[in-house]
Every structure is written in C-alpha cells, then in structure tokens.
Amino acid sequence: SPNMSLLFIAFFSSLFLILGIIRYKHLHEQFSGDHDLSGPQKFHTNNTPRIGGLGIYLALWIATAAAFFKETHLVQLILFVLLSALPVFAAGLVEDLTKKVGVKIRLFAGLLSGILLLYFFQITSIRLDVWGLDALFMNIWVAGVFLAIACSGLSNAYNIIDGFNGLASMVGNISLLAIGYVAFKAGDPTIASISLILVGAIAGFFIWNY
C-alpha cells in the first residue's frame, strides 16, 4: 500500500518552509516579491512572494531524505523525478527572482526536463492504444520528441493558469490523486506513493497560497 507517512512529511515540510518564506518576506521581498498588482492574473492586493515553488521543491528533497530510512526503493525514483524537473524549476525560480527569463528559455527548459525524464527512466516507446500512433511511437526518436514536447507543454499549461489563488496547485493535486488512484487499483504502490508525496508537498503550499 502507498506510504502515507511520507505524504505527511512532505506536507509539513512544505507548510513550514513556506510559512518561513512568508514570515521573513521582509528579508527577500525586494528580490522575490510580486510588485505588479495590475496584471490579468493578479488577485493579491499587496506585495507577495513569488517563490512558493521553492518550498515545494525543498519539501520533496526532505521527503526523499526521509525515504532513505523508510522506503529505500522509492528514493531513486523520486530523485529521478526531482532531477528531471530541475531545468523547469530552475528557469521558474530565476524568472520569479529576476522577471527576465523569456518564453523561449522556459520552453527549452521544459524540453530539457522531458529529455532527462526519458533518460533517467529509460523510456524508449509510448503506448496510447490508438491505432497507427502506437506503431509510430515505438520509434524511440518519435517517442522522445513527443514526450519532451508534452512535458514542456504541460509545465507551460500550469503556468498559464497560475496566478488565481490555489488554482494551479489544486489542479495539480487533482491530477496526482487521479494518477495515484489508478496506480493503486493497478497494483503499483510505488507510483501511488510518489503521487501522494507530491500531493503532500503541494498541499502544504496550497494552504498558504489560498
């Protein structure tokens, strides 16, 4: 069965890390604050830190460290997820701090994350159960290009809905809960556990974001 303790470790780590970001925002808001209150996706009324994702990412590393003592078989897979996500995370963090990272760079970061995902998880084909497409996706290059574009598109899709309090994080958690449920029903506790760890880290952010 999925390991619920790692979910709570990720949740409370995220909760308190982001509480720290908010509590001590006066130390970093000149770099991390969102001073633009007039954009179409701006719903806050005062200067608000933009670096909540840092709390989520660090919370996942804490949960990974905890997994060393509880669920060692999860450690490598979670590390693969974190390392694959690093280009997108880094581009997003730099954008949050400088507001100067262009769309092309963020698109490239998403493509790079997709390529790393292929490499770490040794994905050589994709099956969609769609006649004709499955034969095409048996080719590693076609599958690789498709997955890299899909990863980049997904991260940018979440970025588009980000801004409305809690929307992107809740959509992410609904998606992860669906993946976790399917994995549980399919008898894959590893994927279910990883999904729940991600849910915990995002939920800790969601409370403060809302």
Side-chain angles (χ1 to χ4, degrees):
S1 63
N3 190 306
M4 297 298 293
S5 62
L6 291 176
L7 180 154
F8 288 112
I9 289 170
F11 171 75
F12 285 109
S13 298
S14 175
L15 188 76
F16 288 113
L17 283 166
I18 295 169
L19 173 60
I21 290 172
I22 296 168
R23 173 64 180 80
Y24 297 102
K25 73 174 186 176
H26 61 282
L27 299 176
H28 56 77
E29 63 182 346
Q30 68 268 33
F31 306 108
S32 66
D34 193 351
H35 305 278
D36 178 13
L37 306 178
S38 60
Q41 291 172 285
K42 308 297 183 180
F43 289 86
H44 44 266
T45 55
N46 54 16
N47 188 13
T48 304
R50 290 161 51 101
I51 55 173
L54 179 63
I56 296 173
Y57 195 69
L58 292 177
L60 291 172
W61 279 102
I62 293 171
T64 304
F68 270 108
F69 303 99
K70 302 182 69 65
E71 300 282 346
T72 53
H73 66 284
L74 290 176
V75 173
Q76 185 182 49
L77 294 178
I78 303 173
L79 281 174
F80 285 168
V81 171
L82 288 171
L83 291 173
S84 297
L86 187 57
V88 165
F89 169 73
L93 182 62
V94 173
E95 160 62 15
D96 287 338
L97 293 173
T98 67
K99 289 84 171 175
K100 294 179 181 178
V101 178
V103 174
K104 290 181 180 178
I105 294 176
R106 280 179 281 170
L107 184 65
F108 176 76
L111 290 170
L112 184 56
S113 282
I115 292 168
L116 287 174
L117 194 74
L118 280 168
Y119 173 75
F120 285 127
F121 288 96
Q122 298 181 343
I123 299 170
T124 58
S125 63
I126 301 171
R127 197 186 84 188
L128 299 177
D129 286 332
V130 176
W131 183 86
L133 283 180
D134 282 351
L136 191 63
F137 286 139
M138 288 299 291
N139 182 296
I140 184 173
W141 295 106
V142 175
V145 169
F146 177 83
L147 184 63
I149 292 173
C151 286
S152 184
L154 186 65
S155 64
N156 279 280
Y158 275 99
N159 195 45
I160 288 170
I161 63 171
D162 189 24
F164 196 101
N165 293 337
L167 180 60
S169 50
M170 183 51 69
V171 170
N173 266 356
I174 290 171
S175 301
L176 287 164
L177 287 169
I179 292 169
Y181 175 75
V182 171
F184 178 75
K185 296 295 284 186
D188 191 338
T190 300
I191 297 298
S193 294
I194 292 173
S195 298
L196 290 177
I197 291 167
L198 289 163
V199 165
I202 295 172
F205 163 83
F206 173 80
I207 289 174
W208 299 116
N209 184 230
Y210 184 79

